[in-house]
Amino acid sequence: KIDKPGIDADEAEQQIEYQLLEQGIMTENMAAGTSDEPEYGPPVQLFRVSGMTGEGLDDLVEGLILQSEIMDLRADEKARGEGIVMDARIEKGLGVVADCIVRWGSMSRGDVVVSGLNTGKIKVLKDVNDKTLKTGMPSQPVRVLGFESLPKAGDPLICVASEDIAEKLIRRRENLMLTAGESTSSRQNSENEAEFQVTGTASKTAIMTGMAERKYDIEDTDSEQIRIPVIIKADADGTLAAVQESLMEVGEISKLDLLVDPVGTGIGAILNTDIA
């Protein structure tokens, strides 16, 4: 992306190319005129794009289409739909709204969907222009209305045959997570302690805070630390995670000894019960 004010696009692109090279990934620009492809694998495309002006988006789409043709990528449109949740939020009058991308098969209105421990029946299916769809096809971004609870951004999404199968699948996942939780509890002192997902505001807050504390080396509060308790609410799950990480980073880069303490997180507006 080239929208950041004051950015030197050429310098940024070169820096990104070297960072990719450190991970064994070579871009087409770097591969031109070299014979290092066997070592790094096939070169990848790199495009400059602007979300504000639209610059480079046509080139990006053209490049993706060309790459898919070269790789002969195909999906079974008749299979049960599979995808990924890009973001999810609660909208007044609509309930849970999930923005997803269909990766395999197709999904239609009335399909029962499962994502993580969340399920529902698709009531409305829309495209990126907010027009109602009958069916979402492979590689198509869709907006799904009908989840009973808020799915997590980044979680896989699948269509199942019935609500009974959805409930059985969720119960199986809950049991697996419970087993993983017991196993993790017995290995709390291990350096490779397993991390797992759970539902519930309190549990999710504890895990997100713990991950941030480990990432930024935040230790227990002492007398010299300035503790800043905050309540973080956002309109979407993906936004919530990004805002929380940004706030934790403030404590790390500050000249003061700050401890940003998220005492509560969630989706939606801040209520009296949040600050009571």
Side-chain angles (χ1 to χ4, degrees), residues 181-213:
E182 293 174 350
S183 176
T184 301
S185 178
S186 66
R187 294 183 287 112
Q188 287 182 346
N189 296 326
S190 172
E191 293 182 357
N192 298 321
E193 179 179 350
E195 292 181 357
F196 59 97
Q197 296 179 356
V198 297
T199 58
T201 302
S203 298
K204 184 179 292 186
T205 299
I207 287 182
M208 291 178 68
T209 302
M211 291 174 63
E213 288 175 347

Side-chain angles (χ1 to χ4, degrees), residues 46-113:
L46 182 64
F47 297 97
R48 302 179 185 181
V49 297
S50 170
M52 299 177 65
T53 67
E55 178 185 345
L57 293 180
D58 290 339
D59 293 335
L60 174 61
V61 172
E62 183 179 343
L64 290 172
I65 293 174
L66 176 62
Q67 189 69 26
S68 66
E69 291 177 352
I70 293 174
M71 299 175 67
D72 194 27
L73 298 178
R74 304 192 182 277
D76 185 357
E77 298 178 355
K78 297 181 180 180
R80 294 195 186 278
E82 298 180 16
I84 187 168
V85 178
M86 303 303 295
D87 208 352
R89 59 196 176 278
I90 299 176
E91 292 190 7
K92 188 175 181 180
L94 296 177
V96 177
V97 178
D99 293 330
C100 315
I101 291 182
V102 183
R103 303 181 67 179
W104 183 264
S106 61
M107 54 182 64
S108 308
R109 180 178 176 181
D111 285 349
V112 179
V113 290

Side-chain angles (χ1 to χ4, degrees), residues 112-126:
V112 179
V113 290
V114 177
S115 178
L117 300 180
N118 309 281
T119 184
K121 180 178 289 187
I122 299 178
K123 298 178 181 178
V124 179
L125 197 64
K126 296 185 176 183

Side-chain angles (χ1 to χ4, degrees), residues 180-249:
E182 293 174 350
S183 176
T184 301
S185 178
S186 66
R187 294 183 287 112
Q188 287 182 346
N189 296 326
S190 172
E191 293 182 357
N192 298 321
E193 179 179 350
E195 292 181 357
F196 59 97
Q197 296 179 356
V198 297
T199 58
T201 302
S203 298
K204 184 179 292 186
T205 299
I207 287 182
M208 291 178 68
T209 302
M211 291 174 63
E213 288 175 347
R214 289 193 295 274
K215 180 174 181 179
Y216 297 112
D217 294 325
I218 297 176
E219 300 178 352
D220 293 337
T221 304
D222 55 38
S223 58
E224 297 181 356
Q225 267 186 333
I226 302 174
R227 177 177 174 270
I228 305 178
V230 294
I231 297 174
I232 308 173
K233 301 293 281 287
D235 61 351
D237 183 70
T239 305
L240 177 64
V243 170
Q244 177 161 354
E245 182 165 344
S246 296
L247 287 175
M248 300 299 289
E249 189 175 358

Side-chain angles (χ1 to χ4, degrees), residues 23 27 30 35 79 92 110 133 138 144 146-147 149 151 161 168 174 176 182 190 192 196 219 235 260:
Q23 304 300 321
T27 64
M30 299 185 72
S35 58
K92 188 175 181 180
L133 295 172
V144 175
F147 272 101
S149 53
K168 291 179 181 178
E174 288 175 337
L176 289 173
E182 293 174 350
S190 172
N192 298 321
F196 59 97
E219 300 178 352
D235 61 351
V260 180

